Amino acid sequence: MFGKKREGIIVGYKNGWRTVESYASDYNTSGGFGTREKIIIRIANYTRKTAYATAALLMLNITMRGYAQAFTDPVSSATTVTGETVSGGLQEVFGTVENTIVQNNGYQELSKGGISKNTTVNNDGEQWVSGGTANNTTLNKGGDQLVEYDGVANDTIINDGGYQLIDTGGTSYDTIINGYGKQEVGGGGIADRTTVNSYGTQYISNGGTTNNAILNSMSVQVIFSGGSANNTVNNGGLVNALSGSKINNYSGKDGAINMYGDNTLLGNTNLIGGALNIINFGSFHTINIENLQSGNAVINMN
């Protein structure tokens, strides 16, 4: 097919799109392959198993991009790079980057040993933390951060329109979600000490775990079936616990928790204020509550 060889692997995703990094080489008459070039392919709605086939099928619609970029790539171990803008390409980090701006189809990947400090991710920018460590990243509108495979994100700030996914093997600490920012904790991901401010949202998917979250006024936490929330403190937000979710040691100082279908409140449930709404939609379901302590809270059963 036009003398090209393709090999594709998934390296990230954004808003339901998967991103594939593919390699292309010019086939020469001696039977060898020439200079390798990186390509970024964005594909909607497919699984990891189809990545290789999809990369090959889409080769006719690919725009090739080589290494003629205005930023350092790769950033080698024992190297520190400061103050660059990553736009229209991929920066692989094995060393340290500081004060980087990632935007406009720019991608920053922190592999094992890679460290970022004070990265800002703007519209159409993505930071992938896969084995590396991201410190003090700011996600603005249209900016995404994916944390997986032993990656760690510390002190991320998610602003309006920013998005953070903690996926398999990834861990986040001390994330702050501001208004209209979103954090999703996927299967095998862990989010610890997240603070959700007004109009911010935290989603816990099947197999995801959040520990020690703080929900401030007008914030939202959604726990899907198979998701777990431990030691949540609700200071005026809303918790939607869908059927099959698990909540351990919940403290409601204000706000409300809605429990749908079959659910479990484990450990100590301390309802100092606010409301506990048990919503079963008229069907027979079971709500298990251990060690309920209720102060001025209202408990409603619908």
Side-chain angles (χ1 to χ4, degrees), residues 219-247:
S219 64
V220 177
Q221 181 187 70
V222 181
I223 313 166
F224 293 95
S225 178
S228 298
N230 303 313
N231 306 313
T232 297
V233 175
N234 189 350
N235 293 325
L238 173 63
V239 176
N240 284 320
L242 304 186
S243 183
S245 61
K246 293 182 180 180
I247 300 175

Side-chain angles (χ1 to χ4, degrees), residues 66-97:
Y67 287 90
Q69 302 167 16
F71 53 85
T72 304
D73 177 45
V75 178
S76 303
S77 60
T79 299
T80 299
V81 174
T82 303
E84 293 190 331
T85 297
V86 178
S87 178
L90 171 66
Q91 181 184 59
E92 295 178 281
V93 180
F94 302 93
T96 301
V97 291

